[in-house]
Amino acid sequence: LKANHFTRENYFFDGWIEIQHNASVQYSDGTYMSLVYPHGTVITLYAKWVCGVSVTNNTISDMDLSSLADECIVRVTGEINQNSLVSLAAKIKNAKKNITLDLSKATGLEAIASTSDSKSVFLSCTKLTNIILPSTLTTIGSYAFYNCISLSAVTIPNSVKTIGSNAFAYSGL
């Protein structure tokens, strides 16, 4: 299977599935999977789509999470700064469905710090359920995810050296 260029608005392609034999066939770009079935067997592969949007530092302001029909992944790619992170948090706060925030492809983010008025960046983002932090992150500031009551999973990279007080206080963790 070659990497495809199919698109579906507000969804990510997440590999192929083959329903009849209950097989999941996934690949990373540039790799191929072999399917071994008895000679002459016809199989049908279906695209597996996951609700999600990909944003950059420049497109966060245009993103609207208030009208989502499904749980969604928000994937940030490229350079992101603290101001954009605050804007992103505000968008997540207004989401109508649960959000997984994937910062694993974000660059330039070394800290999730308090905002200038000493408040939590993700204060009361009640729809934030999962977060994947970037490998560039070294500091999770105090109260960073304060009162994120639905937060149930956080992927913290080995690069994080400091987690501030109450960073996950009153979260679902």
Side-chain angles (χ1 to χ4, degrees):
L1 298 172
K2 295 181 181 179
N4 71 71
H5 298 287
F6 304 129
T7 60
R8 181 177 175 192
E9 188 173 350
N10 295 326
Y11 284 82
F12 291 111
F13 174 74
D14 195 37
W16 298 100
I17 56 174
E18 192 276 325
I19 296 171
Q20 184 177 357
H21 297 94
N22 198 25
S24 180
V25 182
Q26 296 186 9
Y27 65 91
S28 299
D29 286 347
T31 63
Y32 297 85
M33 294 289 215
S34 296
L35 301 173
V36 180
Y37 291 100
H39 181 68
T41 302
V42 175
I43 62 168
T44 303
L45 297 177
Y46 297 90
K48 180 179 175 186
W49 296 98
V50 176
C51 181
V53 293
S54 183
V55 296
T56 65
N57 205 40
N58 296 328
T59 62
I60 289 172
S61 61
D62 298 330
M63 181 178 61
D64 180 15
L65 300 176
S66 65
S67 59
L68 292 174
D70 289 317
E71 292 183 9
C72 184
I73 296 172
V74 174
R75 183 172 293 150
V76 178
T77 59
E79 186 82 19
I80 186 168
N81 61 44
Q82 195 69 29
N83 289 336
S84 293
L85 194 63
V86 171
S87 296
L88 177 61
K91 301 277 186 174
I92 293 171
K93 192 171 187 175
N94 292 324
K96 300 297 182 214
K97 297 290 183 176
N98 289 340
I99 301 292
T100 292
L101 178 58
D102 181 355
L103 295 169
S104 64
K105 304 289 186 209
T107 59
L109 189 62
E110 294 180 8
I112 296 177
S114 297
T115 59
S116 59
D117 54 0
S118 299
K119 292 185 180 176
S120 163
V121 174
F122 289 94
L123 174 67
S124 298
C125 286
T126 59
K127 295 298 182 183
L128 182 62
T129 57
N130 301 293
I131 186 162
I132 304 163
L133 298 171
S135 61
T136 57
L137 196 71
T138 59
T139 303
I140 300 172
S142 297
Y143 299 94
F145 298 97
Y146 188 83
N147 202 37
C148 292
I149 59 173
S150 298
L151 189 61
S152 61
V154 179
T155 303
I156 301 174
N158 291 336
S159 59
V160 172
K161 303 298 181 215
T162 305
I163 298 177
S165 63
N166 298 304
F168 298 99
Y170 301 104
S171 71
L173 296 173

